[in-house]
Amino acid sequence: MDELAQQMRSAVASPPPTRIDVDRLIADDRQRRRHRAWVAAGTGVAAVVAAVAVTPTLLVGPATAPGGLTLPVGGGAPSADASLCPVVEPEPSGPPAPQQSYDTVRDRPTERPDAGVARLTLVLRPALAAVVPAGLSVDGTIPGCDLVQFTYEKSHWHYYAHARLHGNGQVDNVTVSLAPTAVDAPAGCADAPDPRTCTSSRLPDGGTLATSTAEPGDEGFVQRWAQVRRTDGTSVTVTTDNYHVEGGENGATRTHRFGPPPVLTMVQLTAIATTPGLTLHP
């Protein structure tokens, strides 16, 4: 079950911080691995037949390039164009995931997912570049795509983007998610990985900001979390952590390790989460 969908539907009583935080990170890693395998499988199918559907994102914009689509810049983005990588969608091998149903504070957006992916990606890339320290690179996690890019997850109505920060001995995970705010979404710190370290405040525009740092146990795990409930009915969640799962492919043993504490501060996560263009209702 997707973490963000769980958070939006109800505030469930949490087990001890060490267990819940590591479990959530493992679940996130599994989702990333499933996404990578899914896309890689689709790439092979596309090379054989044209029956594989390519997302309409590739059809938006004035020009194409070998690395994907070049889109015009808008909404305050820097002058450099942003290229979207082609994402291949293979035919599903089993029944699709059921569409989650929950009441939202505002009608769900009618923007086509491909248009949303393009628009939000153009907003996120400069937002990350503005806060990432010099000497670190921002890499995407979609196979064959060097740049960070949003993906739409239709069964839970949300967009998410995974990035890795590399350099100077750092390998940090960063995740940005957007979803319609549920009517019964818990307010304040109820969704925080560790509510004991969470603070909540009202933003000048009437929205709310909650931030939390989780450091359970003595293994070196650090997670920072920021969530904004926008007044337009969008929930934006930004997390960074230093947890890495390695191996597990082809029957190999999976191991985990913790890197140095993440470089992005809570102030920087907040800057990303409050970026005006990160909304489902442009």
Side-chain angles (χ1 to χ4, degrees), residues 64-218:
T64 59
L69 175 74
T70 299
L71 296 173
V73 173
S79 58
D81 287 347
S83 297
L84 289 180
C85 296
V87 178
V88 178
E89 295 184 356
E91 293 295 328
S93 58
Q99 187 75 42
Q100 300 299 312
S101 177
Y102 57 91
D103 294 330
T104 56
V105 298
R106 180 175 175 180
D107 289 342
R108 292 186 177 90
T110 57
E111 182 180 33
R112 281 175 31 183
D114 57 296
V117 164
R119 176 180 60 81
L120 293 170
T121 297
L122 285 172
V123 173
L124 179 60
R125 288 176 181 171
L128 281 172
V131 300
V132 171
L136 295 181
S137 63
V138 182
D139 300 326
T141 62
I142 296 176
C145 189
D146 294 334
L147 301 177
V148 62
Q149 179 173 314
F150 271 100
T151 297
Y152 180 67
E153 208 287 302
K154 60 184 178 182
S155 66
H156 292 107
W157 310 94
H158 85 275
Y159 295 86
Y160 66 89
H162 297 306
R164 293 276 170 78
L165 306 187
H166 293 267
N168 301 328
Q170 294 287 147
V171 184
D172 299 349
N173 302 309
V174 178
T175 300
V176 181
S177 299
L178 287 83
T181 302
V183 169
D184 59 353
C189 293
D191 285 353
D194 187 353
R196 300 170 304 176
T197 66
C198 182
T199 59
S200 179
S201 60
R202 181 75 62 178
L203 295 171
D205 66 356
T208 60
L209 167 68
T211 60
S212 174
T213 298
E215 300 183 23
D218 301 321

Side-chain angles (χ1 to χ4, degrees), residues 251-273:
T253 302
R254 297 182 66 186
T255 61
H256 71 268
R257 65 180 179 84
F258 301 96
V263 296
L264 294 185
T265 66
M266 201 64 74
V267 171
Q268 292 168 323
L269 293 187
T270 299
I272 297 171

Side-chain angles (χ1 to χ4, degrees), residues 52-68:
V52 177
V54 178
T55 58
T57 299
L58 303 180
L59 307 179
V60 181
T64 59

Side-chain angles (χ1 to χ4, degrees), residues 3 7-8 10-11 24 185-193 195 225 227 229:
E3 173 190 354
Q7 293 173 347
M8 291 192 301
S10 62
R24 284 179 174 178
C189 293
D191 285 353
W225 173 92
Q227 186 176 78
R229 304 283 194 195

Side-chain angles (χ1 to χ4, degrees), residues 27-56:
D28 285 346
D29 178 77
R30 286 173 179 167
Q31 181 185 35
R32 286 191 289 268
R33 287 170 181 268
R34 284 196 301 270
H35 178 69
R36 288 196 291 268
W38 178 71
V39 175
T43 303
V45 174
V48 179
V49 292
V52 177
V54 178
T55 58

